[in-house]
Amino acid sequence: MLTTPIHPLWLRLTHWLNAFAALIMMLSGWRIYDASPVFPQIVIPPSITLGGWLGGALQWHFAAMWLLFFNGITYLAFNLLSGRFRAKFFPLSPRAVIHDLFAALRGKLSHADLRQYNAVQKLAYLVVVIDLIVLVLSGLAIWKSVQFPVLRELMGGYDRARIVHFCAMAVMAAFVVVHVAMVALVPRSLLTMLRGR
Ligand code: HEM
């Protein structure tokens, strides 16, 4: 008998397309950053960047940007219109986050029901979704700073928009490291994100 999948097909597709686009954006972004570092003391080793040189990296960055953008809109639209967003991520309270965080650190957090995210997961996923929106908006402010003056000024000007973009990238990179480590600890969750059940 067919049961409702834990993760619907649209979610699995948008998740993996997002992971692919985010990876391309990050690796090519590092090469673009190296051409003119915002923080002179931070230089990304060229061997872990994508694009070969500034022009090549920009091509990758702009190509993956459209995938990230339209895929992100699709994820948000399906989530909000279906009511899944509210059901999956709320209610969420600081008390629940602290409780689940300590339970996780003591190895006492249950993963029996993969349909439900714990409070730490809910917070982490909400933070990364907001972070991706900030990444796109700050990227737009840098790319089209003349055409979107209000956005540019909201970021504190062109130079600050670059800092916002870099910091949002760092938050995403930190999320991915912890996220992949957590998935490795609970491999069943990877199967559900691949097969739905
Ligand atoms: C190879 C890298 C990745 C792997 C293996 C992976 C794996 C997973 C898995 C297994 C889940 C489901 C967790 C569960 O049911 O307990 C999940 C959910 C999620 N992942 Fe990833 N992920 C990866 C990359 C990313 C990236 C790059 C992002 C964003 C920048 C991301 C954002 C999310 C979000 C927001 C959710 C929750 C989706 C929702 O339920 O609406 N993931 N991931």
Side-chain angles (χ1 to χ4, degrees):
M1 197 178 75
L2 281 180
T3 48
T4 333
I6 293 178
H7 296 307
L9 182 62
W10 64 262
L11 178 82
R12 284 175 278 143
L13 281 175
T14 52
H15 175 270
W16 293 118
L17 284 174
N18 173 71
F20 174 70
L23 190 71
I24 302 281
M25 296 292 295
M26 191 160 65
L27 299 183
S28 56
W30 288 348
R31 173 65 72 155
I32 299 166
Y33 168 89
D34 274 353
S36 167
V38 186
F39 306 104
Q41 64 278 27
I42 301 178
V43 176
I44 317 282
S47 56
I48 57 165
T49 66
L50 178 71
W53 65 297
L54 175 60
L58 282 168
Q59 296 279 343
W60 278 105
H61 213 62
F62 287 142
M65 167 184 89
W66 294 112
L67 178 60
L68 187 85
F69 177 73
F70 286 112
N71 187 60
I73 297 272
T74 309
Y75 168 82
L76 287 177
F78 268 97
N79 247 318
L80 293 170
L81 297 179
S82 66
R84 180 184 179 275
F85 195 71
R86 183 196 272 252
K88 272 276 178 185
F89 298 105
F90 296 96
L92 179 61
S93 67
R95 198 189 172 91
V97 173
I98 292 168
H99 175 274
D100 285 0
L101 187 61
F102 280 105
L105 292 175
R106 281 184 282 124
K108 295 235 165 83
L109 199 57
S110 165
H111 298 285
D113 183 5
L114 290 178
R115 280 180 194 278
Q116 283 201 333
Y117 292 143
N118 63 57
V120 180
Q121 272 180 303
K122 288 181 185 177
L123 179 68
Y125 295 154
L126 283 174
V127 166
V128 82
V129 168
I130 294 169
D131 186 60
L132 282 167
I133 294 171
V134 173
L135 262 170
V136 170
L137 290 179
S138 55
L140 196 57
I142 298 167
W143 180 40
K144 296 284 178 196
S145 63
V146 174
Q147 289 86 342
F148 294 104
V150 176
L151 189 60
R152 185 191 65 220
E153 291 314 308
L154 275 174
M155 297 279 158
Y158 179 83
D159 290 323
R160 290 242 170 83
R162 287 191 67 201
I163 295 176
V164 172
H165 201 60
F166 185 89
C167 293
M169 176 283 296
V171 169
M172 188 186 87
F175 166 85
V176 173
V177 170
V178 177
H179 184 53
V180 174
M182 292 298 132
V183 171
L185 287 177
V186 188
R188 276 183 312 128
S189 66
L190 181 60
L191 286 182
T192 60
M193 195 41 109
L194 288 167
R195 297 188 315 195
R197 51 192 90 243

